[in-house]
Amino acid sequence: MGRERFTLIEGGLLNNRITNYKRDLVECYIINTRLMGVLAMYMKFNLEGAPYPCIHQFFYFDAEEFGFESYKSVKGDDMHRVKEIGNGMMGGLGGTPKHLNIREAVHLLKHYSDFNRERHIPMPDGIDEYGFLLEMDGELSEPDLYILNAKICVKPRNDYETVNYFLMRCFGKDFDGAALMAKTGMELELFPDYKQGTFCKNIVDEGNEPGTYINESLVEFDNRYHLTITKVTVKNKIVTRYERINSLTVSAVEAAMMLSRSELVNVYRLPRENSFQVDRSLSKLTEGAMIHDYPGGKLFMIFHPNNDHVAKKEYRLNEDVMGLYYVSDKQLICASYSQEDIWELEKDLAKSSIRACMKPTARYEFLEPVIYEFINSGFDDFDEFVELISRGKE
């Protein structure tokens, strides 16, 4: 990638320490997941005269609720730390990196900073490091804005993907995002009686006319579930018409039944004295996992490298997850929703740093997910937990 050299004179509204040094933009890219409602951006600057030779900057933007949500940085070339932050922030997004120039990057940063200011959301810590960018010119012409939007958005491959992304953005009250897929001037807010919602499931059926689709969507609004029926018309991957047909409240039990699916679980026994690190180095797939610590162990949530699930006739929110590893002192639990994905997890573990000390002990298939119930149960042995819940169903 080409480099862009520029120097700013110290001053302005912010007294930022980095403004004392000349900066050379070495690399800048964005993950193209705008239609999912989130974006992650990376920038690297070489610094002249600073106590550290460079700074790596990571920005996370949320288009629905939190705007400029988080910022992390690495001063100097600690590439292990750079990779760790990058994997943690970007690994689960399922997008592709796209090169940005400095003006495009500043435009996005200022856009989401304005989002925070308008909603009285505090800016992330580290403004002494990224504040100089807020003083730069990020104005874009209409053609340049079109080019930027093409970079940050995936191009839908079929009408199902167009419909699912469009409804996801509309129900999330992210109308700027929905407008990227719609005919200019369309009315996008058809559910003003509902607050911002989570698009949990959608079934797309073809209507009577070409390019017309009837959608049965399960949406969670303010901790209550609603089944909504809409009609969306698509032409050349652009939404040209959007209609509200019906909406009704469903109970949490009914929603759980709609979202329920089988879960495959493999259990591996671990040695009493673990000789391995329970961190991102555990396996290849855990490098980009989302990690959560629990009292009894550590959970690795492993995502698919893409968002292909949005292009399906039946969309489910959690289908971006390939599977889970839960590692405790005595067991490694491997879980997934499909046979294909559990095979991928097994192959990953077979090549991992802990393959020699794992001993497979059991395989299960449940009609509904149980892993999170086990993690929060207080049990430290999955087989004992299964025995207990099995007795309870007899």
Side-chain angles (χ1 to χ4, degrees), residues 63-67 111-119 121:
E64 293 187 5
E65 294 184 80
F66 304 111
H111 173 79
Y112 288 103
S113 297
D114 290 345
F115 184 108
N116 287 34
R117 186 180 64 253
E118 291 165 3
R119 293 163 177 77
I121 301 171

Side-chain angles (χ1 to χ4, degrees), residues 75-306:
K75 296 175 181 178
D77 273 329
D78 181 351
M79 297 312 296
H80 175 78
R81 180 61 178 153
V82 170
K83 185 176 180 180
E84 183 178 50
I85 293 176
N87 284 333
M89 189 176 287
M90 302 175 173
L93 297 185
T96 303
K98 299 292 182 179
H99 171 67
L100 297 181
N101 61 45
I102 187 65
R103 186 178 287 268
E104 291 169 333
V106 170
H107 178 88
L108 288 171
L109 178 59
K110 295 181 82 167
H111 173 79
Y112 288 103
S113 297
D114 290 345
F115 184 108
N116 287 34
R117 186 180 64 253
E118 291 165 3
R119 293 163 177 77
H120 307 290
I121 301 171
M123 294 282 280
D125 293 339
I127 196 168
D128 57 317
E129 295 176 1
Y130 63 76
F132 75 92
L133 293 165
L134 297 174
E135 296 184 329
M136 296 178 63
D137 184 5
E139 288 295 319
L140 295 177
S141 65
E142 284 298 320
D144 287 338
L145 188 59
Y146 178 85
I147 292 171
L148 175 59
N149 286 332
K151 290 181 179 182
I152 64 178
C153 299
V154 297
K155 186 176 181 180
R157 289 154 293 178
N158 57 36
D159 285 358
Y160 298 148
E161 191 168 13
T162 301
V163 169
N164 285 326
Y165 272 130
F166 175 77
L167 292 176
M168 188 191 305
R169 296 297 93 233
C170 286
F171 287 127
K173 307 297 182 181
D174 173 20
F175 300 116
D176 288 343
L180 295 172
M181 293 172 288
K183 183 178 69 175
T184 303
M186 275 183 50
E187 176 58 50
L188 302 175
E189 174 59 291
L190 301 188
F191 294 85
D193 45 332
Y194 293 155
K195 295 182 179 180
Q196 190 174 66
T198 300
F199 192 55
C200 300
K201 183 180 178 181
N202 190 47
I203 299 175
V204 185
D205 284 324
E206 282 78 4
N208 295 327
E209 302 171 3
T212 299
Y213 301 92
I214 306 300
N215 307 279
E216 183 179 283
S217 310
L218 181 66
V219 188
E220 184 182 2
F221 293 105
D222 198 23
N223 297 318
R224 297 188 68 184
Y225 289 95
H226 298 262
L227 192 63
T228 68
I229 309 298
T230 57
K231 183 179 180 181
V232 176
T233 303
V234 179
K235 183 177 181 180
N236 297 326
K237 309 297 189 301
I238 295 293
V239 175
T240 59
R241 191 170 182 181
Y242 176 38
E243 302 171 63
R244 173 174 172 167
I245 297 176
N246 198 7
S247 180
L248 59 107
T249 304
V250 298
S251 68
V253 174
E254 290 173 307
M257 291 177 62
M258 294 178 193
L259 294 172
S260 182
R261 51 190 311 201
S262 62
E263 185 174 59
L264 303 169
V265 178
N266 294 352
V267 182
Y268 300 87
R269 183 72 59 185
L270 298 176
R272 290 182 178 274
E273 296 296 329
N274 290 345
S275 58
F276 53 85
Q277 290 291 110
V278 184
D279 56 21
R280 293 192 184 279
S281 65
L282 193 71
S283 75
K284 181 66 176 177
L285 290 178
T286 56
E287 290 180 359
M290 185 179 293
I291 303 175
H292 300 280
D293 289 309
Y294 289 88
K298 191 180 293 285
L299 178 69
F300 297 86
M301 184 179 294
I302 299 165
F303 295 87
H304 287 289
N306 53 57

Side-chain angles (χ1 to χ4, degrees), residues 346-358:
E346 289 174 348
K347 287 190 290 185
D348 177 58
L349 290 173
K351 298 176 183 177
S352 71
S353 60
I354 62 171
R355 63 187 181 278
C357 60
M358 296 190 315

